[in-house]
Each structure stands twice: as C-alpha cells, then as structure tokens.
Amino acid sequence: MPARIAAGNWKMNGTRADLDQIDALTAAHPAPAVEIMLCLPATLIAEATARAAGQALRIGAQDCHAQPAGAHTGDIAAAQLADAGAQVVILGHSERRTDHGEDDALVGAKLRAACDAGLRPILCVGESLAERDAGKTLERIGTQLDGALADFDTMPAGLVVAYEPVWAIGTGRTPSLDQIGEVHDFLRKQIKARYGGATAADVPLLYGGSVKPANAAEIFGVPNVDGALVGGASLKESDFSPIIAALTSS
Ligand code: 13P
C-alpha cells in the first residue's frame, strides 16, 4: 500500500510571521496516521524546519536546480535545500513549466539532482484545458511522466507523483471523480509498465487542484488517490487540518 500524504504547497506566499501556522499544524496533529508535508518558499525552510523539529511534519521545497553547484545566480541546489532542512521537493509544477519554460528533460534532470541530494521528489504532471478538450489528457500526462523518468532505469527513491490539471489549479474547478480516477489508474499502469507491479503499488499518487475541506473526502474516495497536493487551502491550519482529517478517515 502506498503511504497516504497530505502535502501543502505555499507557492510564493508567506513570511516568517506566517510560520505560526506550522506550530498550529503540529499541535493539531501530534501523531498523524498520514504523512504531512509543507513545501515552502526557500526563505522559510530553515526556520520552519527548526519549528517542526521532533514533530511529524516534513518540510519541503518547491523546486531545485539541476546542477549540484556553480554559477547559477539566484538558483538553489538540491543539496542546499537539504542543508536548510528540506526533506521533500516539488518538481515540474505547472507554474514552473509556464513561468520558467521548464520542459520534461529539465524536470528529469532536476529529479536526478533531487535524488542525489536525498530529497523525496513530488513529480507534478497535468494537462491544460485545451489538451483535455482535445482528448489528449492521457497522452500529455504519459509524455510528462516518460520524459521526466527517461534516464531512470530504476524508480527514483521515494517517488511521489501528483496529478494537477492546470485548469483546476487555483480556479475552484475540479475534474469529475471519474476523470480523476481515470488519470490515477493510468499513472499507476504507466509506472507499473516501467518499474513493475510491486514498485508501482507503493508509489503515492496525489491529486492537486482546488482541493478544499468541502471536496477532500470525495476525492480521497477515488481509487488510486493516495492524498493531495494542496495550494491555497494549505496556507492556514484551519483549512489544511480538515483536509488531513478527511485523508485520515478515507
Ligand atoms: P490550489 O490548491 O490552490 O488549486 O493549488 C494546487 C497546486 O498547484 C498545488 O501544487
């Protein structure tokens, strides 16, 4: 069975003043039955890690550079994120693909860098609305998965895959439960074809895109949904906790 994971992505939100949300989160979930992660702006990782010390909350990052070090002004290497306390890193988020032109080959190189630094990767895939309307959802997701994993003969350690339809992110719109299930079944099959059934069975598959307290339980009821990657509703403990509770009782 895959681990169940409630992962938050704060995106470019939050300053140190907001880290009291971490205290509230760890206080609300002293011994969680699911894994809880918060992927934060790089500026907050070290202090958040200190605050979460001894608690069942993993702090993560939202991107890393593909190279281990060097002349890359403004970028951050995976080992530097790990040094600051990150245990997890989101890779290939659609906002990185759009804002920074990241393609599947670059996402694959970042995946390698993350693994080399011992970070647990959350690989994001997802179709645009135009791709969905054109009936190309699975084709697009297959390309993203294959592209990122092309150089991995064995599965990246601890791989987590997040299905995030671009058109559902921050919009309040979500795919139907059948549509979510179709993509998650496809992801499991693709990973199985690549790495075998035993390996694929243990890969947590997260859904992301407008997950809220009100829709979390029904989404977690979909087969092959092992958790969520949550944006806006992860910023406040009062929104994130009911999502964690819904996953716990799913
Ligand atoms: P929202 O939950 O705000 O739609 O964001 C989803 C997301 O992009 C998480 O990575």
Side-chain angles (χ1 to χ4, degrees):
M1 287 289 284
R4 288 178 298 162
I5 298 175
N9 173 11
W10 276 19
K11 309 192 178 185
M12 198 171 70
N13 296 294
T15 62
R16 286 181 298 154
D18 298 300
L19 292 179
D20 56 359
Q21 295 303 318
I22 292 195
D23 304 331
L25 198 60
T26 51
H29 305 278
V34 300
E35 290 188 38
I36 307 175
M37 304 172 176
L38 272 184
C39 296
L40 300 174
T43 50
L44 300 181
I45 288 173
E47 188 169 336
T49 297
R51 289 211 192 196
Q55 306 290 333
L57 169 67
R58 282 162 214 230
I59 301 300
Q62 301 169 9
D63 175 50
C64 69
H65 198 274
Q67 297 298 318
H72 302 286
T73 301
D75 281 312
I76 306 179
Q80 294 174 312
L81 296 167
D83 181 55
Q87 295 178 270
V88 181
V89 62
I90 296 172
L91 296 172
H93 193 283
S94 67
E95 288 151 15
R96 299 283 320 168
R97 294 177 191 259
T98 302
D99 291 356
H100 300 276
E102 294 192 4
D103 61 14
D104 296 325
L106 180 58
V107 173
K110 291 184 173 201
L111 192 52
R112 177 69 67 194
C115 292
D116 288 349
L119 294 176
R120 185 167 198 188
I122 301 178
L123 171 64
C124 297
V125 297
E127 82 287 3
S128 67
L129 192 55
E131 287 159 347
R132 176 158 286 279
D133 288 345
K136 296 206 152 96
T137 298
L138 299 185
E139 183 185 325
R140 175 71 179 129
I141 288 165
T143 303
Q144 290 173 327
L145 196 67
D146 286 348
L149 296 175
D151 288 338
F152 286 86
D153 294 337
T154 56
M155 198 184 73
L159 179 70
V160 178
V161 178
Y163 167 49
E164 297 207 320
V166 178
W167 52 277
I169 295 174
T171 60
R173 297 180 60 193
T174 53
S176 70
L177 300 180
D178 283 350
Q179 288 172 328
I180 294 173
E182 180 189 33
V183 172
H184 281 238
D185 289 352
F186 175 75
L187 285 171
R188 187 84 66 205
K189 281 198 198 97
Q190 293 295 107
I191 298 168
K192 181 177 173 185
R194 191 171 267 281
Y195 300 119
T199 301
D202 278 342
V203 176
L205 302 178
L206 313 185
Y207 169 77
S210 295
V211 176
K212 307 287 175 204
N215 62 14
E218 61 177 15
I219 291 171
F220 296 145
V222 175
N224 277 321
V225 173
D226 306 306
L229 182 54
V230 183
S234 73
L235 295 172
K236 295 264 177 282
E237 180 276 328
S238 55
D239 290 328
F240 199 27
S241 274
I243 295 171
I244 296 167
L247 183 61
T248 303
S249 53
S250 68

